[in-house]
PDB file of all heavy atoms in Angstrom:
ATOM      1  N   ALA T 263       0.883  -1.236  -0.013  1.00 97.00           N
ATOM      2  CA  ALA T 263       0.027  -0.034   0.008  1.00 97.00           C
ATOM      3  C   ALA T 263       0.953   1.189   0.038  1.00 97.00           C
ATOM      4  O   ALA T 263       1.748   1.429   0.857  1.00 97.00           O
ATOM      5  CB  ALA T 263      -0.948   0.036   1.276  1.00 97.00           C
ATOM      6  N   ALA T 264       0.689   2.084  -0.971  1.00 96.00           N
ATOM      7  CA  ALA T 264       1.390   3.374  -1.043  1.00 96.00           C
ATOM      8  C   ALA T 264       0.512   4.590  -0.570  1.00 96.00           C
ATOM      9  O   ALA T 264      -0.651   4.591  -0.908  1.00 96.00           O
ATOM     10  CB  ALA T 264       1.804   3.552  -2.596  1.00 96.00           C
ATOM     11  N   SER T 265       1.152   5.461   0.070  1.00 94.00           N
ATOM     12  CA  SER T 265       0.554   6.691   0.489  1.00 94.00           C
ATOM     13  C   SER T 265       1.503   7.844   0.467  1.00 94.00           C
ATOM     14  O   SER T 265       2.718   7.616   0.313  1.00 94.00           O
ATOM     15  CB  SER T 265      -0.007   6.525   1.954  1.00 94.00           C
ATOM     16  OG  SER T 265       1.021   6.295   2.827  1.00 94.00           O
ATOM     17  N   GLY T 266       0.892   9.001   0.439  1.00 93.00           N
ATOM     18  CA  GLY T 266       1.759  10.209   0.364  1.00 93.00           C
ATOM     19  C   GLY T 266       1.563  10.863  -0.946  1.00 93.00           C
ATOM     20  O   GLY T 266       0.479  10.917  -1.559  1.00 93.00           O
ATOM     21  N   SER T 267       2.645  11.422  -1.423  1.00 90.00           N
ATOM     22  CA  SER T 267       2.608  12.236  -2.698  1.00 90.00           C
ATOM     23  C   SER T 267       2.832  11.283  -3.871  1.00 90.00           C
ATOM     24  O   SER T 267       3.933  11.144  -4.397  1.00 90.00           O
ATOM     25  CB  SER T 267       3.743  13.275  -2.674  1.00 90.00           C
ATOM     26  OG  SER T 267       3.599  14.119  -1.622  1.00 90.00           O
ATOM     27  N   ILE T 268       1.738  10.624  -4.202  1.00 86.00           N
ATOM     28  CA  ILE T 268       1.774   9.712  -5.322  1.00 86.00           C
ATOM     29  C   ILE T 268       1.563  10.365  -6.683  1.00 86.00           C
ATOM     30  O   ILE T 268       0.546  11.029  -6.892  1.00 86.00           O
ATOM     31  CB  ILE T 268       0.711   8.538  -5.229  1.00 86.00           C
ATOM     32  CG1 ILE T 268       0.765   7.957  -3.849  1.00 86.00           C
ATOM     33  CG2 ILE T 268       0.754   7.597  -6.318  1.00 86.00           C
ATOM     34  CD1 ILE T 268       2.016   7.213  -3.590  1.00 86.00           C
ATOM     35  N   PHE T 269       2.488  10.259  -7.625  1.00 86.00           N
ATOM     36  CA  PHE T 269       2.367  10.717  -8.961  1.00 86.00           C
ATOM     37  C   PHE T 269       1.619   9.760  -9.753  1.00 86.00           C
ATOM     38  O   PHE T 269       1.819   8.505  -9.678  1.00 86.00           O
ATOM     39  CB  PHE T 269       3.669  11.077  -9.552  1.00 86.00           C
ATOM     40  CG  PHE T 269       4.292  12.292  -8.983  1.00 86.00           C
ATOM     41  CD1 PHE T 269       5.252  12.250  -7.979  1.00 86.00           C
ATOM     42  CD2 PHE T 269       3.985  13.561  -9.432  1.00 86.00           C
ATOM     43  CE1 PHE T 269       5.916  13.329  -7.490  1.00 86.00           C
ATOM     44  CE2 PHE T 269       4.585  14.747  -8.949  1.00 86.00           C
ATOM     45  CZ  PHE T 269       5.479  14.596  -7.920  1.00 86.00           C
ATOM     46  N   ARG T 270       0.740  10.263 -10.733  1.00 86.00           N
ATOM     47  CA  ARG T 270      -0.060   9.416 -11.550  1.00 86.00           C
ATOM     48  C   ARG T 270       0.818   8.415 -12.334  1.00 86.00           C
ATOM     49  O   ARG T 270       0.500   7.283 -12.559  1.00 86.00           O
ATOM     50  CB  ARG T 270      -1.023  10.215 -12.401  1.00 86.00           C
ATOM     51  CG  ARG T 270      -1.983   9.359 -13.122  1.00 86.00           C
ATOM     52  CD  ARG T 270      -3.078  10.221 -13.748  1.00 86.00           C
ATOM     53  NE  ARG T 270      -4.017   9.412 -14.510  1.00 86.00           N
ATOM     54  CZ  ARG T 270      -5.027   9.975 -15.195  1.00 86.00           C
ATOM     55  NH1 ARG T 270      -5.138  11.310 -15.194  1.00 86.00           N
ATOM     56  NH2 ARG T 270      -5.966   9.186 -15.717  1.00 86.00           N
ATOM     57  N   ILE T 271       1.916   8.945 -12.927  1.00 87.00           N
ATOM     58  CA  ILE T 271       2.790   8.203 -13.729  1.00 87.00           C
ATOM     59  C   ILE T 271       3.944   7.709 -12.863  1.00 87.00           C
ATOM     60  O   ILE T 271       4.723   8.404 -12.320  1.00 87.00           O
ATOM     61  CB  ILE T 271       3.352   9.005 -14.910  1.00 87.00           C
ATOM     62  CG1 ILE T 271       2.327   9.735 -15.631  1.00 87.00           C
ATOM     63  CG2 ILE T 271       4.281   8.173 -15.775  1.00 87.00           C
ATOM     64  CD1 ILE T 271       1.300   8.760 -16.349  1.00 87.00           C
ATOM     65  N   ASN T 272       3.963   6.358 -12.727  1.00 92.00           N
ATOM     66  CA  ASN T 272       4.941   5.769 -11.836  1.00 92.00           C
ATOM     67  C   ASN T 272       5.186   4.303 -12.197  1.00 92.00           C
ATOM     68  O   ASN T 272       4.517   3.753 -13.026  1.00 92.00           O
ATOM     69  CB  ASN T 272       4.591   5.858 -10.286  1.00 92.00           C
ATOM     70  CG  ASN T 272       3.305   5.112 -10.094  1.00 92.00           C
ATOM     71  OD1 ASN T 272       3.121   3.898 -10.162  1.00 92.00           O
ATOM     72  ND2 ASN T 272       2.233   5.885  -9.785  1.00 92.00           N
ATOM     73  N   VAL T 273       6.216   3.753 -11.617  1.00 97.00           N
ATOM     74  CA  VAL T 273       6.562   2.318 -11.776  1.00 97.00           C
ATOM     75  C   VAL T 273       6.606   1.731 -10.352  1.00 97.00           C
ATOM     76  O   VAL T 273       7.318   2.323  -9.432  1.00 97.00           O
ATOM     77  CB  VAL T 273       7.805   2.093 -12.580  1.00 97.00           C
ATOM     78  CG1 VAL T 273       8.086   0.614 -12.613  1.00 97.00           C
ATOM     79  CG2 VAL T 273       7.804   2.670 -13.912  1.00 97.00           C
ATOM     80  N   MET T 274       5.927   0.634 -10.250  1.00 97.00           N
ATOM     81  CA  MET T 274       5.994  -0.006  -8.902  1.00 97.00           C
ATOM     82  C   MET T 274       6.683  -1.388  -9.160  1.00 97.00           C
ATOM     83  O   MET T 274       6.334  -2.116 -10.110  1.00 97.00           O
ATOM     84  CB  MET T 274       4.709  -0.126  -8.277  1.00 97.00           C
ATOM     85  CG  MET T 274       4.102   1.260  -7.903  1.00 97.00           C
ATOM     86  SD  MET T 274       2.761   1.257  -6.760  1.00 97.00           S
ATOM     87  CE  MET T 274       3.587   0.896  -5.162  1.00 97.00           C
ATOM     88  N   CYS T 275       7.534  -1.826  -8.267  1.00 98.00           N
ATOM     89  CA  CYS T 275       8.288  -3.068  -8.378  1.00 98.00           C
ATOM     90  C   CYS T 275       8.242  -3.836  -7.116  1.00 98.00           C
ATOM     91  O   CYS T 275       8.014  -3.335  -6.045  1.00 98.00           O
ATOM     92  CB  CYS T 275       9.720  -2.710  -8.719  1.00 98.00           C
ATOM     93  SG  CYS T 275       9.968  -1.697 -10.185  1.00 98.00           S
ATOM     94  N   TRP T 276       8.506  -5.172  -7.317  1.00 98.00           N
ATOM     95  CA  TRP T 276       8.800  -5.963  -6.181  1.00 98.00           C
ATOM     96  C   TRP T 276      10.270  -6.527  -6.449  1.00 98.00           C
ATOM     97  O   TRP T 276      10.625  -6.971  -7.482  1.00 98.00           O
ATOM     98  CB  TRP T 276       7.840  -7.227  -6.113  1.00 98.00           C
ATOM     99  CG  TRP T 276       6.626  -6.890  -5.686  1.00 98.00           C
ATOM    100  CD1 TRP T 276       5.383  -6.654  -6.441  1.00 98.00           C
ATOM    101  CD2 TRP T 276       6.122  -6.699  -4.329  1.00 98.00           C
ATOM    102  NE1 TRP T 276       4.380  -6.414  -5.622  1.00 98.00           N
ATOM    103  CE2 TRP T 276       4.717  -6.475  -4.371  1.00 98.00           C
ATOM    104  CE3 TRP T 276       6.770  -6.964  -3.118  1.00 98.00           C
ATOM    105  CZ2 TRP T 276       3.987  -6.283  -3.200  1.00 98.00           C
ATOM    106  CZ3 TRP T 276       5.984  -6.774  -1.959  1.00 98.00           C
ATOM    107  CH2 TRP T 276       4.645  -6.495  -1.956  1.00 98.00           C
ATOM    108  N   TYR T 277      10.985  -6.376  -5.350  1.00 98.00           N
ATOM    109  CA  TYR T 277      12.358  -6.902  -5.267  1.00 98.00           C
ATOM    110  C   TYR T 277      12.303  -7.956  -4.248  1.00 98.00           C
ATOM    111  O   TYR T 277      11.510  -8.017  -3.307  1.00 98.00           O
ATOM    112  CB  TYR T 277      13.355  -5.824  -4.886  1.00 98.00           C
ATOM    113  CG  TYR T 277      13.764  -4.887  -6.074  1.00 98.00           C
ATOM    114  CD1 TYR T 277      12.843  -3.877  -6.526  1.00 98.00           C
ATOM    115  CD2 TYR T 277      15.052  -4.912  -6.651  1.00 98.00           C
ATOM    116  CE1 TYR T 277      13.230  -3.128  -7.567  1.00 98.00           C
ATOM    117  CE2 TYR T 277      15.408  -4.112  -7.701  1.00 98.00           C
ATOM    118  CZ  TYR T 277      14.460  -3.170  -8.074  1.00 98.00           C
ATOM    119  OH  TYR T 277      14.870  -2.323  -9.189  1.00 98.00           O
ATOM    120  N   ARG T 278      13.531  -8.752  -4.208  1.00 98.00           N
ATOM    121  CA  ARG T 278      13.681  -9.661  -3.099  1.00 98.00           C
ATOM    122  C   ARG T 278      15.201  -9.725  -2.748  1.00 98.00           C
ATOM    123  O   ARG T 278      16.021  -9.507  -3.655  1.00 98.00           O
ATOM    124  CB  ARG T 278      13.092 -11.002  -3.373  1.00 98.00           C
ATOM    125  CG  ARG T 278      13.844 -11.811  -4.453  1.00 98.00           C
ATOM    126  CD  ARG T 278      13.044 -13.145  -4.803  1.00 98.00           C
ATOM    127  NE  ARG T 278      13.645 -13.869  -5.776  1.00 98.00           N
ATOM    128  CZ  ARG T 278      13.209 -14.943  -6.309  1.00 98.00           C
ATOM    129  NH1 ARG T 278      11.990 -15.419  -5.905  1.00 98.00           N
ATOM    130  NH2 ARG T 278      13.872 -15.689  -7.235  1.00 98.00           N
ATOM    131  N   GLN T 279      15.447 -10.119  -1.486  1.00 98.00           N
ATOM    132  CA  GLN T 279      16.805 -10.229  -1.081  1.00 98.00           C
ATOM    133  C   GLN T 279      16.854 -11.406  -0.137  1.00 98.00           C
ATOM    134  O   GLN T 279      16.307 -11.390   0.974  1.00 98.00           O
ATOM    135  CB  GLN T 279      17.314  -9.014  -0.390  1.00 98.00           C
ATOM    136  CG  GLN T 279      18.846  -9.018  -0.091  1.00 98.00           C
ATOM    137  CD  GLN T 279      19.370  -7.686   0.344  1.00 98.00           C
ATOM    138  OE1 GLN T 279      18.598  -6.733   0.633  1.00 98.00           O
ATOM    139  NE2 GLN T 279      20.640  -7.526   0.302  1.00 98.00           N
ATOM    140  N   ALA T 280      17.624 -12.410  -0.484  1.00 97.00           N
ATOM    141  CA  ALA T 280      17.903 -13.598   0.320  1.00 97.00           C
ATOM    142  C   ALA T 280      19.209 -13.407   1.063  1.00 97.00           C
ATOM    143  O   ALA T 280      20.081 -12.541   0.672  1.00 97.00           O
ATOM    144  CB  ALA T 280      17.993 -14.861  -0.563  1.00 97.00           C
ATOM    145  N   PRO T 281      19.408 -14.023   2.186  1.00 92.00           N
ATOM    146  CA  PRO T 281      20.640 -13.780   3.061  1.00 92.00           C
ATOM    147  C   PRO T 281      21.828 -14.051   2.209  1.00 92.00           C
ATOM    148  O   PRO T 281      21.959 -15.121   1.435  1.00 92.00           O
ATOM    149  CB  PRO T 281      20.377 -14.806   4.222  1.00 92.00           C
ATOM    150  CG  PRO T 281      18.970 -14.981   4.324  1.00 92.00           C
ATOM    151  CD  PRO T 281      18.379 -14.883   2.933  1.00 92.00           C
ATOM    152  N   GLY T 282      22.848 -13.152   2.235  1.00 94.00           N
ATOM    153  CA  GLY T 282      23.969 -13.265   1.448  1.00 94.00           C
ATOM    154  C   GLY T 282      23.982 -12.958   0.016  1.00 94.00           C
ATOM    155  O   GLY T 282      25.013 -13.000  -0.602  1.00 94.00           O
ATOM    156  N   ASN T 283      22.758 -12.605  -0.429  1.00 96.00           N
ATOM    157  CA  ASN T 283      22.660 -12.247  -1.826  1.00 96.00           C
ATOM    158  C   ASN T 283      22.267 -10.728  -1.989  1.00 96.00           C
ATOM    159  O   ASN T 283      21.914 -10.076  -1.063  1.00 96.00           O
ATOM    160  CB  ASN T 283      21.455 -13.086  -2.392  1.00 96.00           C
ATOM    161  CG  ASN T 283      21.827 -14.490  -2.569  1.00 96.00           C
ATOM    162  OD1 ASN T 283      22.958 -14.961  -2.264  1.00 96.00           O
ATOM    163  ND2 ASN T 283      20.935 -15.268  -3.079  1.00 96.00           N
ATOM    164  N   GLN T 284      22.519 -10.244  -3.251  1.00 97.00           N
ATOM    165  CA  GLN T 284      22.087  -8.976  -3.592  1.00 97.00           C
ATOM    166  C   GLN T 284      20.631  -8.819  -3.747  1.00 97.00           C
ATOM    167  O   GLN T 284      19.974  -9.851  -4.126  1.00 97.00           O
ATOM    168  CB  GLN T 284      22.858  -8.426  -4.805  1.00 97.00           C
ATOM    169  CG  GLN T 284      24.360  -8.208  -4.710  1.00 97.00           C
ATOM    170  CD  GLN T 284      24.962  -7.561  -5.867  1.00 97.00           C
ATOM    171  OE1 GLN T 284      24.442  -7.658  -6.885  1.00 97.00           O
ATOM    172  NE2 GLN T 284      25.989  -6.855  -5.654  1.00 97.00           N
ATOM    173  N   ARG T 285      20.011  -7.686  -3.510  1.00 97.00           N
ATOM    174  CA  ARG T 285      18.700  -7.485  -3.802  1.00 97.00           C
ATOM    175  C   ARG T 285      18.431  -7.577  -5.375  1.00 97.00           C
ATOM    176  O   ARG T 285      19.238  -6.972  -6.142  1.00 97.00           O
ATOM    177  CB  ARG T 285      18.211  -6.089  -3.342  1.00 97.00           C
ATOM    178  CG  ARG T 285      16.772  -5.915  -3.182  1.00 97.00           C
ATOM    179  CD  ARG T 285      16.409  -4.517  -2.523  1.00 97.00           C
ATOM    180  NE  ARG T 285      16.728  -4.652  -1.195  1.00 97.00           N
ATOM    181  CZ  ARG T 285      16.367  -3.699  -0.293  1.00 97.00           C
ATOM    182  NH1 ARG T 285      15.634  -2.683  -0.565  1.00 97.00           N
ATOM    183  NH2 ARG T 285      16.698  -3.831   1.029  1.00 97.00           N
ATOM    184  N   GLU T 286      17.428  -8.262  -5.725  1.00 98.00           N
ATOM    185  CA  GLU T 286      17.136  -8.501  -7.113  1.00 98.00           C
ATOM    186  C   GLU T 286      15.649  -8.182  -7.512  1.00 98.00           C
ATOM    187  O   GLU T 286      14.796  -8.358  -6.725  1.00 98.00           O
ATOM    188  CB  GLU T 286      17.417  -9.957  -7.584  1.00 98.00           C
ATOM    189  CG  GLU T 286      16.540 -10.966  -6.896  1.00 98.00           C
ATOM    190  CD  GLU T 286      16.717 -12.363  -7.401  1.00 98.00           C
ATOM    191  OE1 GLU T 286      17.555 -12.564  -8.308  1.00 98.00           O
ATOM    192  OE2 GLU T 286      16.106 -13.275  -6.884  1.00 98.00           O
ATOM    193  N   LEU T 287      15.528  -7.638  -8.794  1.00 98.00           N
ATOM    194  CA  LEU T 287      14.262  -7.300  -9.191  1.00 98.00           C
ATOM    195  C   LEU T 287      13.471  -8.593  -9.538  1.00 98.00           C
ATOM    196  O   LEU T 287      13.952  -9.502 -10.173  1.00 98.00           O
ATOM    197  CB  LEU T 287      14.282  -6.432 -10.522  1.00 98.00           C
ATOM    198  CG  LEU T 287      12.987  -6.142 -11.160  1.00 98.00           C
ATOM    199  CD1 LEU T 287      12.131  -5.224 -10.240  1.00 98.00           C
ATOM    200  CD2 LEU T 287      13.274  -5.542 -12.617  1.00 98.00           C
ATOM    201  N   VAL T 288      12.265  -8.627  -9.102  1.00 98.00           N
ATOM    202  CA  VAL T 288      11.329  -9.763  -9.235  1.00 98.00           C
ATOM    203  C   VAL T 288      10.291  -9.510 -10.394  1.00 98.00           C
ATOM    204  O   VAL T 288      10.201 -10.246 -11.251  1.00 98.00           O
ATOM    205  CB  VAL T 288      10.589 -10.162  -8.019  1.00 98.00           C
ATOM    206  CG1 VAL T 288       9.603 -11.248  -8.234  1.00 98.00           C
ATOM    207  CG2 VAL T 288      11.609 -10.621  -6.929  1.00 98.00           C
ATOM    208  N   ALA T 289       9.661  -8.345 -10.142  1.00 98.00           N
ATOM    209  CA  ALA T 289       8.632  -7.995 -11.173  1.00 98.00           C
ATOM    210  C   ALA T 289       8.405  -6.469 -11.050  1.00 98.00           C
ATOM    211  O   ALA T 289       8.612  -5.816 -10.025  1.00 98.00           O
ATOM    212  CB  ALA T 289       7.292  -8.622 -10.946  1.00 98.00           C
ATOM    213  N   ALA T 290       7.958  -5.892 -12.212  1.00 98.00           N
ATOM    214  CA  ALA T 290       7.614  -4.462 -12.222  1.00 98.00           C
ATOM    215  C   ALA T 290       6.317  -4.253 -13.026  1.00 98.00           C
ATOM    216  O   ALA T 290       6.073  -5.023 -13.910  1.00 98.00           O
ATOM    217  CB  ALA T 290       8.765  -3.652 -12.872  1.00 98.00           C
ATOM    218  N   ILE T 291       5.729  -3.188 -12.685  1.00 98.00           N
ATOM    219  CA  ILE T 291       4.489  -2.829 -13.392  1.00 98.00           C
ATOM    220  C   ILE T 291       4.333  -1.331 -13.490  1.00 98.00           C
ATOM    221  O   ILE T 291       4.547  -0.560 -12.539  1.00 98.00           O
ATOM    222  CB  ILE T 291       3.261  -3.403 -12.767  1.00 98.00           C
ATOM    223  CG1 ILE T 291       1.951  -3.147 -13.607  1.00 98.00           C
ATOM    224  CG2 ILE T 291       3.051  -2.925 -11.300  1.00 98.00           C
ATOM    225  CD1 ILE T 291       0.766  -4.017 -13.168  1.00 98.00           C
ATOM    226  N   THR T 292       4.041  -0.770 -14.664  1.00 96.00           N
ATOM    227  CA  THR T 292       3.923   0.588 -14.835  1.00 96.00           C
ATOM    228  C   THR T 292       2.551   1.072 -14.554  1.00 96.00           C
ATOM    229  O   THR T 292       1.561   0.222 -14.375  1.00 96.00           O
ATOM    230  CB  THR T 292       4.219   1.025 -16.371  1.00 96.00           C
ATOM    231  OG1 THR T 292       3.159   0.527 -17.179  1.00 96.00           O
ATOM    232  CG2 THR T 292       5.558   0.502 -16.751  1.00 96.00           C
ATOM    233  N   SER T 293       2.261   2.339 -14.374  1.00 93.00           N
ATOM    234  CA  SER T 293       0.938   2.789 -14.136  1.00 93.00           C
ATOM    235  C   SER T 293      -0.013   2.574 -15.253  1.00 93.00           C
ATOM    236  O   SER T 293      -1.225   2.488 -15.094  1.00 93.00           O
ATOM    237  CB  SER T 293       0.922   4.355 -13.873  1.00 93.00           C
ATOM    238  OG  SER T 293       1.759   5.003 -14.732  1.00 93.00           O
ATOM    239  N   GLY T 294       0.604   2.216 -16.398  1.00 93.00           N
ATOM    240  CA  GLY T 294      -0.322   1.839 -17.560  1.00 93.00           C
ATOM    241  C   GLY T 294      -0.590   0.377 -17.665  1.00 93.00           C
ATOM    242  O   GLY T 294      -1.327  -0.085 -18.511  1.00 93.00           O
ATOM    243  N   GLY T 295       0.020  -0.424 -16.864  1.00 95.00           N
ATOM    244  CA  GLY T 295      -0.208  -1.789 -16.723  1.00 95.00           C
ATOM    245  C   GLY T 295       0.881  -2.739 -17.382  1.00 95.00           C
ATOM    246  O   GLY T 295       0.778  -3.953 -17.427  1.00 95.00           O
ATOM    247  N   SER T 296       1.887  -2.133 -17.955  1.00 97.00           N
ATOM    248  CA  SER T 296       2.864  -2.968 -18.610  1.00 97.00           C
ATOM    249  C   SER T 296       3.735  -3.645 -17.499  1.00 97.00           C
ATOM    250  O   SER T 296       4.040  -3.066 -16.495  1.00 97.00           O
ATOM    251  CB  SER T 296       3.847  -2.114 -19.473  1.00 97.00           C
ATOM    252  OG  SER T 296       3.182  -1.556 -20.529  1.00 97.00           O
ATOM    253  N   THR T 297       4.082  -4.932 -17.773  1.00 98.00           N
ATOM    254  CA  THR T 297       4.698  -5.748 -16.758  1.00 98.00           C
ATOM    255  C   THR T 297       6.117  -6.291 -17.235  1.00 98.00           C
ATOM    256  O   THR T 297       6.280  -6.519 -18.495  1.00 98.00           O
ATOM    257  CB  THR T 297       3.800  -6.837 -16.224  1.00 98.00           C
ATOM    258  OG1 THR T 297       3.520  -7.673 -17.306  1.00 98.00           O
ATOM    259  CG2 THR T 297       2.645  -6.359 -15.592  1.00 98.00           C
ATOM    260  N   ASN T 298       6.922  -6.576 -16.268  1.00 97.00           N
ATOM    261  CA  ASN T 298       8.154  -7.216 -16.642  1.00 97.00           C
ATOM    262  C   ASN T 298       8.515  -8.127 -15.431  1.00 97.00           C
ATOM    263  O   ASN T 298       8.206  -7.829 -14.320  1.00 97.00           O
ATOM    264  CB  ASN T 298       9.306  -6.167 -16.678  1.00 97.00           C
ATOM    265  CG  ASN T 298      10.620  -6.682 -17.250  1.00 97.00           C
ATOM    266  OD1 ASN T 298      10.553  -7.633 -18.069  1.00 97.00           O
ATOM    267  ND2 ASN T 298      11.688  -6.215 -16.700  1.00 97.00           N
ATOM    268  N   TYR T 299       9.108  -9.356 -15.730  1.00 98.00           N
ATOM    269  CA  TYR T 299       9.411 -10.272 -14.778  1.00 98.00           C
ATOM    270  C   TYR T 299      10.931 -10.833 -14.828  1.00 98.00           C
ATOM    271  O   TYR T 299      11.386 -10.952 -15.972  1.00 98.00           O
ATOM    272  CB  TYR T 299       8.475 -11.473 -14.839  1.00 98.00           C
ATOM    273  CG  TYR T 299       7.068 -11.240 -14.592  1.00 98.00           C
ATOM    274  CD1 TYR T 299       6.212 -10.917 -15.632  1.00 98.00           C
ATOM    275  CD2 TYR T 299       6.533 -11.340 -13.342  1.00 98.00           C
ATOM    276  CE1 TYR T 299       4.844 -10.612 -15.364  1.00 98.00           C
ATOM    277  CE2 TYR T 299       5.132 -11.038 -13.114  1.00 98.00           C
ATOM    278  CZ  TYR T 299       4.320 -10.616 -14.122  1.00 98.00           C
ATOM    279  OH  TYR T 299       3.080 -10.411 -13.904  1.00 98.00           O
ATOM    280  N   ALA T 300      11.392 -11.174 -13.694  1.00 98.00           N
ATOM    281  CA  ALA T 300      12.655 -11.957 -13.723  1.00 98.00           C
ATOM    282  C   ALA T 300      12.439 -13.298 -14.345  1.00 98.00           C
ATOM    283  O   ALA T 300      11.363 -13.948 -14.133  1.00 98.00           O
ATOM    284  CB  ALA T 300      13.313 -12.045 -12.331  1.00 98.00           C
TER     285      ALA T 300
END
């Protein structure tokens, strides 16, 4: 859930980080609905 100064045009992503690993992109979605996945 996002709150505050939300701009209409944005990208929201999910990242994950396992112990000892770098944070990695899992999935992304634009405000228009385009998606991208690892």
